[in-house]
Amino acid sequence: MDNVSLLLVDDEQAILHMLKTVLLKEQFLDIDTVTTGEAAIEACNNKTYQCIVLDIMLPGKSGLEICPFLRQVTDAPILFLTAKTTDYDKLTGFAVGGDDYVAKPFNPLEVVARIKSLLKRYLPSKSVAISDHVPSNVNTSSPSTSEGVYDFGRFQVLEWAGELRVEGESVSCPALVFQLLLFFCKHPNRIFTKSDLYERVWGSEAISDDNTVMVHIHRIRERIEADPSNPVFLVNVRGLGYKLIQPEHVSRP
């Protein structure tokens, strides 16, 4: 695919060769491969990637250990390859900045499907964010309720820029965390089940996982709530699901 750069990180050359072969057949033409976490960090410092496939069990620093360092230089979605399949391991991967995971042994076509699913969520917002175009009715110096700007008082979501601002400060937000928050912003005060959210944001082709939604809900709260353990914006309605509450004194687009 044009303008899509992928980074594959695994210490097994056979896996790298297999994935690269399948991805090339799927028209992903810009693919880099490295075998250590340190090399992955260096690669991301030198180049912009749209998706990273990261093995957890690497020599030296593990994929879980380097993920926070990668998050300092890139917000590209990270797909973990893991031989560990317990809920704790999955939650740890999401907590350090991962967006999805595939358990080993895997079908390479599943990895391709997961990459495509992540890119669908990542590229639309970034294609606008990296352009020079800004809607004429949007005040870039002070977020206000305008087209593509969702104002919740304490925080604003700028759809056209792929940006979250909290109390006037820009806050880093991984691709799928942003897409989930944006979905809530577009449907304030409505309750959605975890299954609803997974289908709407991750896509019907993805494999539903309640833990994935719960971790991303937590990551949103860490960014928008003054006290994430006692949320006032993104709340749980016991037995029904989650909803994003919009203050009455703040309007929406």
Side-chain angles (χ1 to χ4, degrees):
M1 294 184 179
D2 293 340
N3 301 320
V4 173
S5 297
L6 305 180
L7 177 63
L8 310 180
V9 189
D10 200 299
D11 62 324
E12 296 185 45
Q13 289 291 347
I15 289 179
L16 291 176
H17 177 73
M18 174 182 64
L19 287 177
K20 189 170 184 177
T21 299
V22 174
L23 287 164
L24 286 171
K25 290 182 179 179
E26 293 292 322
Q27 302 305 308
F28 288 95
L29 305 180
D30 186 359
I31 305 171
D32 293 336
T33 63
V34 295
T35 57
T36 68
E38 292 78 4
I41 295 173
E42 182 178 358
C44 288
N45 278 323
N46 295 321
K47 183 175 178 178
T48 299
Y49 294 98
Q50 280 68 53
C51 189
I52 300 169
V53 179
L54 178 61
D55 186 26
I56 287 182
M57 303 299 290
L58 294 170
K61 292 185 180 296
S62 71
L64 295 177
E65 290 176 305
I66 72 160
C67 193
F69 293 98
L70 295 178
R71 277 286 167 249
Q72 293 178 17
V73 296
T74 179
D75 61 356
I78 295 176
L79 172 64
F80 276 120
L81 301 180
T82 176
K84 300 180 177 182
T85 57
T86 67
D87 286 343
Y88 175 79
D89 295 316
K90 296 172 185 176
L91 290 172
T92 299
F94 288 127
V96 297
D99 295 284
D100 202 353
Y101 66 90
V102 173
K104 291 182 175 181
F106 55 80
N107 183 327
L109 293 178
E110 180 184 358
V111 176
V112 173
R114 297 294 184 109
I115 290 173
K116 289 181 177 179
S117 179
L118 290 170
L119 289 173
K120 285 180 182 178
R121 255 60 69 183
Y122 175 75
L123 291 179
S125 64
K126 291 302 169 184
S127 64
V128 176
I130 62 176
S131 72
D132 292 326
H133 172 71
V134 176
S136 59
N137 62 337
V138 173
N139 181 353
T140 58
S141 62
S142 177
S144 59
T145 302
S146 307
E147 181 182 353
V149 179
Y150 298 86
D151 188 358
F152 284 74
R154 172 179 164 80
F155 69 93
Q156 295 79 36
V157 173
L158 287 68
E159 181 178 12
W160 52 268
E163 182 181 4
L164 167 64
R165 293 184 184 177
V166 180
E167 295 188 329
E169 299 291 330
S170 181
V171 175
S172 174
C173 199
L176 282 173
V177 175
F178 182 83
Q179 292 293 341
L180 180 58
L181 176 57
L182 179 61
F183 176 78
F184 274 119
C185 289
K186 290 182 175 181
H187 306 88
N189 305 314
R190 286 181 55 185
I191 298 173
F192 295 95
T193 67
K194 285 179 284 189
S195 295
D196 289 336
L197 295 170
Y198 204 90
E199 181 175 349
R200 299 287 191 92
V201 178
W202 278 261
S204 58
E205 74 276 14
I207 300 173
S208 181
D209 187 334
D210 286 352
N211 286 335
T212 299
V213 175
M214 291 172 62
V215 169
H216 282 70
I217 292 287
H218 177 69
R219 291 166 76 178
I220 290 175
R221 286 172 171 167
E222 287 181 322
R223 289 163 170 80
I224 68 172
E225 302 283 358
D227 181 1
S229 61
N230 294 289
V232 296
F233 290 102
L234 186 49
V235 301
N236 173 243
V237 181
R238 189 176 295 276
L240 296 177
Y242 297 92
K243 69 176 178 178
L244 184 66
I245 297 176
Q246 186 169 44
E248 293 182 1
H249 65 281
V250 178
S251 59
R252 63 187 292 264

